[in-house]
Amino acid sequence: MPCRLEVPQTLMFGKWKYEKPDGSPVFIAFRSSTRKNVQYDEVPEYKDRLSLSENYTLSISHARISDEKRFVCMLVTEDNVFEAPTVVKVFKQPLKPEIVNKAQFLETEQLKKLGDCVSKDSYPDVNITWYRNGRTLDPSEGVITTLQRQVDPATQLSTVTSSLVYKTTKNDIKIPFTCSVTYYGPSGQKTIHSDQAFFDIYYPTEKVTIQVLPPKNAIKEGDNITLKCLGNGNPPPEEFLFYLPGQPEGIRSSNTYILTDVRRNATGDYKCSLTDEKSMIASTTITVHYLDLSLNPSGEVTKQIGDALPVTCTISSSRNATVVWLKDNTKLRSRPSFSSLQYQDAGNYVCETNLQEVEGLKKRESLTLIVEGKPQIKMTKKTDPNGLSKTITCHVEGFPKPAVQWTITGSGSVINQTEESPYINGRYYSKIIISPEENVTLTCTAENQLERTVNSLNVSAISIPEQDEADDISDENKEKVNDQAKLIVGIVVGLLLAALVAGVVYWLYMKKSNYSPKPCPQRDINGKSEKAAAQKFQTHLRTASKHVNKDLGNMEENKKLEENNHKTEA
């Protein structure tokens, strides 16, 4: 503190004092102008804290609140005393304010203490302000604040506490609250803000919702269903009433209710409500998807060749289901139908169905079809082109697979070679090659669990020429023969229709020309024309007749061939 006086030339000494609240002085420092010595009075609160310079500037170290006084610089001459006062103001910046004693939660539409904002170690007094989301809280918004101040006797520093009572709303969810302290310093007014504080806002449930796990469109028989009821209040409700289809009384449970191993009769409306507010209710519709499959017949079925076997695969489901037929793991184009069973119909059939919208909902049943038949034999012979051997073939048909045994009656024959084909669709052949020196009889015996069948074939000596017998016609060749027969029948019918049309045209032509069957003695141009037309028509008829006879002959040959094949099979 500089002495605010001009030092006179006749100065004797200078002194500093301060004034007590009652106005009495307390001298604290003295300095002589001649001796240049400094003396400090015995004042305890200023011991070792004072320093007086040659120009009578007084310095006080380690400032205290108690240093806030009126100090006076005194310069004394022989005939006068000069005084200049200095008023000292002391400031202490408060610590950063804190929000303490925070409420664990706030309830909507209820006044409740939010917390305390505390500002410590300040001087002089400070002001505290509350903020919501950065905006000053207005008392008109359901805000009540109270202020308390405490002074530390030792330091004279103040602790200021502001308590906030607040009526919260749902709009305060996740909204920050802060407070600030405003104080004065040597350079003017300043403000310090606290950290943000967030509060859990409690509010009642206004709406109830129900959830289904797994998702509703994927529930199938055998599943477990979890119903979950939720309220939008905070804290959420912990208990609910669950209403099952056909049950008017609710079942008290936590927010989840589990249905195990549901069946199709569990389809219906499910509801839940609060336990204390039954009018607040939520509902959902659950469909338990199902899929039934019945295959008739199923399992292992044994039938005789030529039998009829109706097969049905009946589906019952909650939605349209897709059906697939498999035979020996190969997809079929259509449902199998057996009006006359053949060996190639045997196999493992599977009827498979599924609901594409519901994962994992599929059913399948299988039919193992066994087609049995007694052995059937047809024997054929063929002479080698070089005339040195003959090939005898025994065509065998039957299931279970017949065992073939050859017997040769006669002498002078040698079996050069034997051969057997694969067994496919109930058929195979056994073939031997011989070079008989005399006429022999070959017997083919085919035997399975059902029957023993024997057939014989006379074979001439290798030196005697004879007509070969054609091999058995395969299924594929039979189909070709049948197709050719159908084509021939079509051609014959077409020719007959053409002849009929020609006859009708001729009749109309003769009628238009007033033709009479009576003999006419005159020969004119018209007569010649009529005769020419008649001859032309007869020519067409003869040509058509030749084609018909030829095609009918072909049909007759094919018919005989098929009859021979059937006789052989029989």
Side-chain angles (χ1 to χ4, degrees):
M1 293 174 288
C3 183
R4 302 176 186 276
L5 293 172
E6 184 176 347
V7 178
Q9 293 182 354
T10 58
L11 178 67
M12 297 174 57
F13 60 87
K15 297 184 71 173
W16 278 90
K17 67 178 180 179
Y18 70 85
E19 297 175 352
K20 292 183 177 181
D22 58 3
S24 59
V26 176
F27 293 95
I28 56 175
F30 168 86
R31 186 181 185 91
S32 172
S33 62
T34 56
R35 297 180 182 179
K36 307 296 182 182
N37 64 328
V38 179
Q39 296 178 4
Y40 299 103
D41 295 90
E42 293 292 333
V43 180
E45 62 177 312
Y46 288 106
K47 185 178 180 180
D48 300 329
R49 291 200 302 133
L50 300 178
S51 174
L52 183 60
S53 65
E54 291 183 0
N55 62 358
Y56 300 96
T57 296
L58 180 65
S59 298
I60 303 175
S61 62
H62 302 95
R64 301 172 182 175
I65 301 301
S66 59
D67 293 334
E68 187 171 275
K69 299 182 179 72
R70 188 174 184 267
F71 290 85
V72 178
C73 175
M74 302 173 59
L75 297 181
V76 179
T77 62
E78 291 182 357
D79 54 2
N80 204 353
V81 176
F82 302 94
E83 293 186 356
T86 297
V87 177
V88 175
K89 300 294 284 185
V90 179
F91 300 91
K92 170 62 173 68
Q93 175 182 318
L95 300 177
K96 182 178 179 179
E98 292 182 283
I99 298 178
V100 298
N101 302 324
K102 293 185 289 186
Q104 293 184 351
F105 61 89
L106 301 176
E107 295 184 71
T108 56
E109 305 305 323
Q110 291 188 18
L111 276 171
K112 188 172 182 179
K113 181 179 176 180
L114 183 145
D116 296 325
C117 181
V118 178
S119 173
K120 296 180 179 180
D121 297 342
S122 64
Y123 188 86
D125 287 341
V126 297
N127 289 323
I128 292 179
T129 306
W130 284 91
Y131 301 87
R132 176 191 178 276
N133 202 24
R135 187 176 66 86
T136 304
L137 281 173
D138 192 326
S140 64
E141 298 177 308
V143 176
I144 299 175
T145 57
T146 56
L147 198 64
Q148 292 182 345
R149 287 183 172 87
Q150 292 181 339
V151 178
D152 187 337
T155 63
Q156 296 299 305
L157 297 178
S158 297
T159 296
V160 182
T161 302
S162 175
S163 300
L164 174 63
V165 177
Y166 181 70
K167 182 185 290 186
T168 187
T169 67
K170 289 178 67 175
N171 295 330
D172 294 325
I173 298 174
K174 297 183 180 180
I175 295 299
F177 287 79
T178 57
C179 67
S180 70
V181 57
T182 302
Y183 67 97
Y184 289 88
S187 58
Q189 181 176 288
K190 294 184 178 181
T191 301
I192 303 176
H193 290 273
S194 70
D195 293 332
Q196 293 181 340
F198 294 87
F199 296 88
D200 192 7
I201 310 300
Y202 281 13
Y203 50 88
T205 296
E206 299 175 350
K207 184 180 179 181
V208 174
T209 58
I210 187 171
Q211 297 178 352
V212 180
L213 299 174
K216 292 191 297 182
N217 60 347
I219 298 174
K220 61 184 182 297
E221 284 191 320
D223 283 348
N224 296 335
I225 301 176
T226 299
L227 301 176
K228 191 170 185 179
C229 202
L230 303 173
N232 65 346
N234 185 36
E238 296 181 354
E239 279 193 334
F240 295 88
L241 292 175
F242 289 88
Y243 300 87
L244 308 185
Q247 298 183 15
E249 294 297 325
I251 301 173
R252 184 182 291 267
S253 176
S254 63
N255 67 336
T256 58
Y257 185 81
I258 299 176
L259 300 169
T260 59
D261 192 22
V262 294
R263 301 289 103 186
R264 66 193 67 182
N265 57 4
T267 295
D269 293 331
Y270 291 78
K271 302 176 183 179
C272 73
S273 70
L274 298 178
T275 56
D276 56 352
E277 187 61 51
K278 296 182 180 180
S279 61
M280 195 177 299
I281 195 166
S283 65
T284 185
T285 300
I286 294 177
T287 299
V288 179
H289 293 285
Y290 62 91
L291 180 61
D292 297 332
L293 183 150
S294 176
L295 178 61
N296 186 31
S298 61
E300 184 174 302
V301 176
T302 301
K303 303 293 287 185
Q304 297 298 312
I305 188 168
D307 287 352
L309 178 64
V311 178
T312 58
C313 186
T314 304
I315 307 297
S316 176
S317 61
S318 55
R319 289 187 181 177
N320 291 333
T322 58
V323 179
V324 176
W325 279 94
L326 303 173
K327 180 188 178 185
D328 298 330
N329 296 324
T330 301
K331 185 176 179 181
L332 299 178
R333 294 184 179 179
S334 60
R335 177 178 64 87
S337 177
F338 310 111
S339 58
S340 178
L341 285 169
Q342 302 300 317
Y343 292 116
Q344 59 265 30
D345 295 328
N348 185 46
Y349 292 85
V350 174
C351 178
E352 185 176 273
T353 182
N354 72 302
L355 292 184
Q356 294 182 351
E357 300 88 346
V358 184
E359 183 179 357
L361 188 53
K362 60 172 58 179
K363 293 289 181 66
R364 60 184 291 163
E365 286 196 26
S366 62
L367 163 66
T368 301
L369 178 59
I370 300 174
V371 181
E372 291 186 342
K374 300 176 182 178
Q376 303 292 325
I377 296 176
K378 179 183 178 181
M379 298 182 68
T380 61
K381 58 185 175 180
K382 186 177 181 181
T383 303
D384 187 71
N386 56 22
L388 299 179
S389 64
K390 293 186 178 184
T391 301
I392 314 302
T393 305
C394 182
H395 299 273
V396 181
E397 183 178 286
F399 186 87
K401 179 182 178 181
V404 173
Q405 183 178 358
W406 287 94
T407 304
I408 302 177
T409 303
S411 60
S413 61
V414 178
I415 298 177
N416 299 333
Q417 184 179 351
T418 61
E419 179 184 345
E420 187 174 291
S421 69
Y423 181 67
I424 300 175
N425 291 333
R427 295 181 177 182
Y428 78 108
Y429 65 79
S430 177
K431 182 185 296 186
I432 64 173
I433 300 175
I434 62 174
S435 301
E437 297 178 358
E438 298 178 1
N439 296 343
V440 296
T441 299
L442 277 82
T443 301
C444 177
T445 303
E447 183 177 4
N448 63 9
Q449 291 89 327
L450 303 179
E451 193 174 83
R452 182 171 181 269
T453 303
V454 179
N455 199 358
S456 298
L457 182 67
N458 294 323
V459 179
S460 302
I462 195 66
S463 59
I464 302 175
E466 60 181 335
Q467 184 177 359
D468 293 339
E469 295 184 12
D471 287 339
D472 192 17
I473 302 177
S474 65
D475 292 338
E476 183 178 355
N477 292 332
K478 284 183 180 180
E479 292 179 0
K480 292 181 179 179
V481 170
N482 291 334
D483 291 341
Q484 292 173 357
K486 293 176 182 178
L487 177 62
I488 293 172
V489 171
I491 294 174
V492 171
V493 172
L495 291 174
L496 290 175
L497 288 175
L500 179 61
V501 171
V504 172
V505 171
Y506 176 72
W507 178 77
L508 292 175
Y509 175 78
M510 297 301 292
K511 184 178 180 181
K512 185 176 180 181
S513 303
N514 296 323
Y515 170 75
S516 176
K518 296 179 181 181
C520 180
Q522 298 180 355
R523 300 283 183 175
D524 55 11
I525 298 175
N526 291 333
K528 294 179 180 178
S529 299
E530 292 171 359
K531 184 177 180 180
Q535 292 175 349
K536 186 175 182 180
F537 176 68
Q538 292 176 359
T539 302
H540 282 299
L541 286 178
R542 285 193 298 270
T543 303
S545 177
K546 289 180 181 179
H547 284 291
V548 170
N549 291 335
K550 181 178 179 181
D551 292 331
L552 287 174
N554 291 335
M555 288 182 62
E556 190 67 24
E557 291 177 4
N558 290 330
K559 184 176 181 182
K560 289 180 178 180
L561 179 59
E562 291 184 358
E563 289 177 353
N564 290 333
N565 291 335
H566 287 305
K567 288 178 181 179
T568 303
E569 293 174 356

